[in-house]
Amino acid sequence: ARLEAHTRPKSGAIALTVPDTASVDKTFVVSVTVTNPSKHAMKNLEVNLAEQSTFSSEYVDPVPTRIEIVPDKRAIDLAAHETRTVQFEVTPSEAGVIGIYANANCLIDYESENANENKKACRDVQALQLGAFDATEVRMLDEKAPAVVAR
């Protein structure tokens, strides 16, 4: 059996591109597209990628990480309303469905001469902090894709 899930982003300011399927121990690329929703430039915007270990709102014990992400965060600068795509390499260590979550946080260097401008831009960063979620099915290297009976 195969599960298909459709996710809807909370914000158009951040989006994920992941493959539908991947193989154990084979690296694949996840692209995160980030749009600055502000009319101010954003300096040192931290884009994060992580495994989403649970799909429940109730507390569960943390699941051991099943993927390696390189790097797990990237710092970028975005001009007003600029869009940029950053890529991460992901290597799964076991078969199953893995959830992948991306978000962005504004890091303000209060010592910098641009601190006031960056604070203005960071007020609009909530759309990026909401993040984006997607999932990929990880199979053993020699495993065949299941037949889709009906859609």
Side-chain angles (χ1 to χ4, degrees):
R2 182 177 180 143
L3 169 70
E4 279 194 17
H6 299 278
T7 58
R8 181 174 53 89
K10 290 183 177 182
S11 165
I14 187 165
L16 272 170
T17 304
V18 302
D20 290 334
T21 60
S23 296
V24 171
D25 295 328
K26 293 291 183 182
T27 301
F28 62 90
V29 174
V30 172
S31 298
V32 180
T33 302
V34 181
T35 300
N36 178 354
S38 172
K39 62 183 177 181
H40 304 282
M42 288 183 173
K43 301 288 183 194
N44 204 21
L45 184 71
E46 185 179 78
V47 181
N48 305 290
L49 191 71
E51 179 178 3
Q52 180 75 32
S53 61
T54 181
F55 304 104
S56 170
S57 60
E58 296 177 19
Y59 177 78
V60 293
D61 288 332
V63 175
T65 302
R66 298 177 297 160
I67 61 175
E68 178 184 4
I69 302 170
V70 178
D72 61 345
K73 61 183 86 173
R74 310 232 358 220
I76 60 172
D77 296 337
L78 290 175
H81 305 292
E82 179 183 5
T83 297
R84 184 173 303 167
T85 299
V86 293
Q87 295 186 325
F88 299 85
E89 291 185 347
V90 177
T91 308
S93 60
E94 63 183 66
V97 176
I98 55 171
I100 298 174
Y101 175 75
N103 74 343
N105 295 301
C106 207
L107 304 175
I108 301 173
D109 177 6
Y110 289 98
E111 304 289 318
S112 124
E113 43 186 84
N114 297 329
N116 284 335
E117 276 299 305
N118 215 26
K119 282 195 295 188
K120 291 176 188 173
C122 289
R123 284 190 294 237
D124 298 325
V125 81
Q126 183 179 8
L128 296 167
Q129 290 173 333
L130 290 172
F133 167 81
D134 210 332
T136 190
E137 179 185 9
V138 179
R139 300 187 195 129
M140 297 305 291
L141 195 55
D142 56 353
E143 188 178 350
K144 301 283 188 234
V148 176
V149 177
R151 285 196 187 257

